[in-house]
Amino acid sequence: NNKGYHGQTTPNASQPWGWNAAGIQATGVDGLIVRNNYIHETKIAVQVNGNYPGRPSSNCLVENNEFANIGGYSDDQSHVLYLECNGERVRHNKSTQPPGWSSVYKSRGTCTEVTDNWGLGGDRVVDLVESGNTRSANPTCADVVANNYFERFDGLDNDAFIHFGGDGPNIKKYKKNTLQVLNNTFVSRRGGSVLVRVSAWSQTVVALNNVFQWTKMA
């Protein structure tokens, strides 16, 4: 029964929280730390927007949190994390999602590191795409997905564990840096799975020392 409106510091009884409200939301921040929280049954767990106005978010750390039952079944607008920062570290988090629910870690930021996380269920696990707010030029730093354990079950779409590149109409804005996929364990209970789906020929992926266990591999 919470009442309020995002962006206000005091409740507004006439305006309920939006249907897509996040447990934690920030805009135009520098040096944000989200640590040691348990967030569950929300549309989005943590959302960091990239611009307020003319001030991009930067240096965002999300660590040692537990997330459960975020979003809804086959809903491409639900995410455990939705980040848009210049410099992102997502590490030592635990996510437990019903099969097919939500992308787990989605980023429109730069220099993203997703390391040492444990994830069960959900739809797409890591989604790294273009940004209109934080990236004035494509950075040369690699995005990194390393030392994670991810296990997924049947869902309606998103057969890829990781999506890299872009999801908007302007391909010129898609990522042009490198994705490193290192030392992860991927377990699939689905009928078919893809490790990484790239969006265009401008992406490069390096995958080393990973463990795969699934029924069918594409």
Side-chain angles (χ1 to χ4, degrees):
N1 296 320
N2 279 340
K3 300 290 185 179
Y5 187 77
H6 65 278
Q8 293 184 342
T9 58
T10 57
N12 178 353
S14 65
Q15 176 69 55
W17 289 104
W19 64 273
N20 60 344
I24 295 174
Q25 181 172 317
T27 303
V29 294
D30 184 18
L32 176 71
I33 298 176
V34 179
R35 178 186 290 143
N36 299 335
N37 299 281
Y38 173 49
I39 302 177
H40 59 99
E41 277 84 28
T42 63
K43 182 70 173 178
I44 299 172
V46 179
Q47 179 173 353
V48 181
N49 300 313
N51 213 32
Y52 178 81
R55 186 176 72 213
S57 293
S58 58
N59 302 314
C60 296
L61 170 64
V62 181
E63 69 174 357
N64 298 332
N65 301 282
E66 183 173 350
F67 307 109
N69 299 335
I70 304 298
Y73 183 64
S74 187
D75 179 358
D76 63 2
Q77 299 300 311
S78 296
H79 312 286
V80 174
L81 302 184
Y82 191 101
L83 305 179
E84 194 171 10
C85 300
N86 283 323
E88 300 173 341
R89 289 173 293 164
V90 178
R91 64 192 187 192
H92 302 294
N93 299 286
K94 179 180 180 181
S95 172
T96 304
Q97 293 285 98
W101 277 36
S102 309
S103 292
V104 181
Y105 303 132
K106 179 158 187 172
S107 168
R108 293 190 181 276
T110 65
C111 305
T112 301
E113 298 178 1
V114 180
T115 61
D116 301 289
N117 300 282
W118 184 93
L120 180 66
D123 204 7
R124 184 173 283 152
V125 175
V126 179
D127 196 2
L128 306 173
V129 293
E130 84 281 18
S131 167
N133 292 321
T134 64
R135 187 182 293 106
S136 57
N138 277 285
T140 58
C141 57
D143 292 325
V144 179
V145 178
N147 305 320
N148 303 284
Y149 176 91
F150 294 129
E151 182 173 351
R152 301 195 312 157
F153 303 90
D154 277 332
L156 289 184
D157 77 13
N158 290 338
D159 56 353
F161 275 86
I162 300 171
H163 175 224
F164 180 59
D167 59 8
N170 190 343
I171 296 178
K172 292 181 179 180
K173 291 185 177 181
Y174 282 14
K175 283 175 170 284
K176 297 179 178 62
N177 59 324
T178 298
L179 171 65
Q180 298 177 356
V181 184
L182 312 171
N183 307 318
N184 302 281
T185 297
F186 298 98
V187 179
S188 177
R189 310 301 183 189
R190 301 168 64 102
S193 288
V194 175
L195 174 59
V196 180
R197 173 163 283 116
V198 297
S199 302
W201 292 109
S202 57
Q203 285 89 53
T204 300
V205 178
V206 176
L208 297 171
N209 302 322
N210 299 286
V211 175
F212 312 103
Q213 181 182 2
W214 47 41
T215 304
K216 296 179 181 179
M217 180 176 172

